Amino acid sequence: MKIDPKSPADLSAQIAKAIRDAIMSGDLLVDERLPSEAELADQFNVSRPTVREALKRLGAQSLIRTQRGATGGAFVNRLRFEDAYGQQITTSTLLLSMNDVSFAVACEARYALERACAPLAAARRSADHLATMRAEAHRQSQPGLTDEAFCASDVAFHRALVDAAGNPVISYQLAGAVEAMQPLMNMITFTARSRERIVQLHSRIADGLENHDAEAVDITLAELASYTNELAQAVIDARAAARDAQ
Amino acid sequence: MKIDPKSPADLSAQIAKAIRDAIMSGDLLVDERLPSEAELADQFNVSRPTVREALKRLGAQSLIRTQRGATGGAFVNRLRFEDAYGQQITTSTLLLSMNDVSFAVACEARYALERACAPLAAARRSADHLATMRAEAHRQSQPGLTDEAFCASDVAFHRALVDAAGNPVISYQLAGAVEAMQPLMNMITFTARSRERIVQLHSRIADGLENHDAEAVDITLAELASYTNELAQAVIDARAAARDAQ
DNA sequence: CAATTTTCATTTGTCAGACAATTAAATGTA
DNA sequence: TACATTTAATTGTCTGACAAATGAAAATTG
């Protein structure tokens, strides 16, 4: 693990990269303890604050964890799917909001990927996943629900659908696509009528999964995708009209 | 933006969270300048090194960028898809290697998600994407190619396929799934025979896209998935046999 | 006056040294 | 042996300082 002392700026970034590479290449194994901050400072010929900045960078990516005390130090972290979800969702959400991704594009991505889960989910869905989906669909039919709570429940429903595929890699990859849609969905006002329609489609999806009927699920997802797009388009059109009238 | 001074540990994490929340909620806009480190230290009642650790955390997630000099400082970064790819790939790769994800599970995820792109890619593929795929397929048929180079070309081929769907959100989400497979693929020894088969399938995929034939692409991807699994299974079986013989 | 150079203030990057808080192991004690 | 105490190692934080970069303002020059 070496850094280039000639390029003086961003020493902490270089150190972080060196350690990250060591982790990625397998030079540092899971749960292995890194040298103490003082030792690292010696090795890299930098000061302890600089080492600490590097370690914080790695900590932000969940690549290491630190522990105080006599036997403490920085340890290579076993990156868990659950830990990675949060970052994935944060990043996806910001990507959508900062790059002016249209509702249509985000929606297309979400449903295209979700439909990829349909066959697996239909084959493997557990009673648990089904129960979650039914419960969320029921919650969505409650009259007093705010739009925001409705959206949150919608996300929970779709995450259960994704998780039903029983493949942690898929669940991880799709967490971002599903959750990042929530801010976009929040711009929609869900009337009683549209909620009813959505709940109906959700129920049909749950039915399809219960009957191991992948095709039914796929078709219903396609319907849901186009209906969601319709709703969003209505909002967009209404806003455009309001702006023109002004 | 407030932090809790009572819980003394991990002040820098709290500060990072406060700023991250401000970015996510829209309180801080893209390209907006944060207060200087000294000002932040005052505001949060901590020292400058602590503030710096927090900023490095945010920098590691590409949420901010910093600039030296008179008008420098930390700025809210416009998170670009290209910037996010790297992190996505790093995280996905580590997730697979650290959680003992089997080849079969990773492969299933990759092809399930790729097949979701098939209809979109068939409809929208540009000449550029096709050319990339043809070129990679041709490279894969070169005799002298190392297994590693073959895998790298395979990844490039599949990324072009994903990008052909013309949806940046999908490209981003799938970057991880596609690239993280490479270390797993690298354990396979690709014989001339198997390479020939794979190149053939790749060519069929390119043909399908050229003809806007989504179904052909889908079917070929399914074949490729099962063939890849076969190859991996053979490696796994051979290793098990070698271990038993020992 | 305009163009160029110089100076300067601001800000991040880095360093050195210090102390507090935490924690497990070593040590002492009943 | 069981329990309390001490100790050493380590991270977390602070203070103060200087270096390096950089744009803006001031001074200089044609």
Side-chain angles (χ1 to χ4, degrees):
Chain A
M1 270 192 316
K2 282 277 167 61
I3 59 171
D4 179 12
K6 272 156 269 168
S7 61
D10 268 327
L11 287 176
S12 71
Q14 288 179 55
I15 293 169
K17 180 175 186 322
I19 297 176
R20 182 165 35 239
D21 288 348
I23 294 174
M24 298 269 307
S25 72
D27 275 0
L28 289 168
L29 300 177
V30 166
D31 290 333
E32 190 172 335
R33 185 181 174 282
L34 291 154
S36 73
E37 293 174 357
E39 285 173 298
L40 285 172
D42 269 0
Q43 281 183 31
F44 287 113
N45 249 298
V46 297
S47 67
R48 196 158 79 94
T50 301
V51 167
R52 281 182 63 77
E53 287 178 9
L55 294 180
K56 294 307 167 195
R57 291 178 123 107
L58 299 173
Q61 296 175 291
S62 305
L63 295 187
I64 61 168
R65 61 177 188 279
T66 57
Q67 212 175 351
R68 285 218 267 200
T71 58
F75 298 83
V76 178
N77 198 30
R78 156 161 275 124
L79 191 57
R80 290 171 201 289
F81 282 98
E82 309 94 68
D83 300 337
Y85 280 149
Q87 266 185 264
Q88 168 76 336
I89 290 166
T90 300
T91 305
S92 300
T93 305
L94 286 173
L95 275 173
L96 296 199
S97 72
M98 286 181 169
N99 290 283
D100 301 315
V101 172
S102 71
F103 190 93
V105 167
C107 197
E108 174 180 284
R110 173 175 163 171
Y111 281 104
L113 298 177
E114 267 192 49
R115 286 172 67 182
C117 306
L120 297 171
R124 298 182 189 155
R125 92 289 183 286
S126 72
D128 251 23
H129 293 127
L130 267 181
T132 302
M133 295 169 73
R134 299 275 188 210
E136 295 297 339
H138 181 256
R139 185 204 308 277
Q140 290 155 22
S141 66
Q142 300 293 316
L145 214 64
T146 63
D147 276 346
E148 208 165 313
F150 183 82
C151 285
S153 172
D154 182 79
V155 167
F157 177 92
H158 284 277
R159 284 201 61 166
L161 165 62
V162 169
D163 290 342
N167 185 309
V169 180
I170 291 182
S171 290
Y172 164 69
Q173 300 288 354
L174 264 65
V178 172
E179 299 257 359
M181 279 292 291
Q182 192 162 3
L184 294 175
M185 298 279 285
N186 273 331
M187 75 179 195
I188 300 178
T189 308
F190 291 98
T191 60
R193 189 183 185 75
S194 60
R195 288 189 188 191
E196 196 185 345
R197 177 82 195 276
I198 290 171
V199 170
Q200 199 180 23
L201 291 169
H202 282 176
S203 297
R204 267 174 52 195
I205 290 171
D207 292 345
L209 291 180
E210 189 155 13
N211 303 328
H212 301 292
D213 184 349
E215 198 172 336
V217 174
D218 187 67
I219 291 171
T220 313
L221 278 171
E223 256 181 81
L224 189 52
S226 79
Y227 184 60
T228 308
N229 255 324
E230 258 174 56
L231 287 177
Q233 198 56 50
V235 170
I236 292 166
D237 289 347
R239 285 196 190 160
R243 197 178 47 240
D244 289 347
Q246 204 183 18
Chain B
M1 268 191 320
K2 283 279 167 60
I3 59 170
D4 179 12
K6 273 157 266 168
S7 62
D10 269 329
L11 287 177
S12 72
Q14 288 179 55
I15 293 170
K17 181 175 186 321
I19 297 176
R20 183 163 36 238
D21 288 348
I23 294 174
M24 296 271 302
S25 72
D27 274 1
L28 289 168
L29 300 178
V30 166
D31 291 333
E32 191 172 334
R33 185 180 174 281
L34 289 143
S36 73
E37 293 174 355
E39 285 174 296
L40 285 173
D42 268 1
Q43 280 181 33
F44 288 113
N45 249 297
V46 297
S47 67
R48 195 158 81 94
T50 302
V51 167
R52 281 182 63 78
E53 287 177 9
L55 294 180
K56 294 308 166 198
R57 292 178 123 107
L58 298 173
Q61 296 175 292
S62 306
L63 296 189
I64 61 168
R65 62 178 187 278
T66 57
Q67 210 174 354
R68 284 217 268 201
T71 58
F75 298 83
V76 177
N77 198 28
R78 155 160 278 123
L79 192 58
R80 288 172 202 289
F81 282 99
E82 308 93 69
D83 301 337
Y85 280 148
Q87 268 185 260
Q88 168 77 333
I89 291 166
T90 301
T91 305
S92 299
T93 305
L94 286 174
L95 275 172
L96 295 198
S97 72
M98 286 182 170
N99 291 281
D100 301 315
V101 173
S102 72
F103 190 93
V105 166
C107 197
E108 173 180 285
R110 171 176 164 171
Y111 282 104
L113 297 177
E114 267 191 49
R115 286 171 68 182
C117 306
L120 297 171
R124 300 182 189 155
R125 93 289 182 283
S126 73
D128 251 24
H129 293 127
L130 267 180
T132 302
M133 294 168 73
R134 300 271 188 214
E136 295 297 340
H138 181 256
R139 184 204 309 279
Q140 290 155 22
S141 66
Q142 300 293 314
L145 213 63
T146 63
D147 277 345
E148 208 164 313
F150 183 82
C151 285
S153 172
D154 180 80
V155 166
F157 177 92
H158 285 276
R159 283 200 62 165
L161 165 62
V162 168
D163 289 341
N167 183 311
V169 180
I170 290 181
S171 290
Y172 164 69
Q173 300 289 353
L174 264 65
V178 171
E179 298 257 358
M181 279 292 291
Q182 192 162 3
L184 294 176
M185 298 278 286
N186 273 331
M187 75 179 195
I188 299 178
T189 308
F190 291 98
T191 62
R193 190 185 187 71
S194 61
R195 287 189 190 194
E196 196 184 347
R197 176 83 196 275
I198 289 170
V199 171
Q200 199 179 25
L201 291 169
H202 282 176
S203 297
R204 267 174 52 193
I205 289 171
D207 292 345
L209 291 181
E210 189 155 12
N211 303 328
H212 302 291
D213 184 349
E215 197 171 336
V217 175
D218 187 68
I219 290 170
T220 313
L221 277 172
E223 257 182 80
L224 188 53
S226 80
Y227 184 60
T228 308
N229 254 324
E230 258 175 55
L231 287 178
Q233 197 56 50
V235 170
I236 291 166
D237 289 347
R239 286 197 190 158
R243 197 178 47 240
D244 288 349
Q246 203 183 16

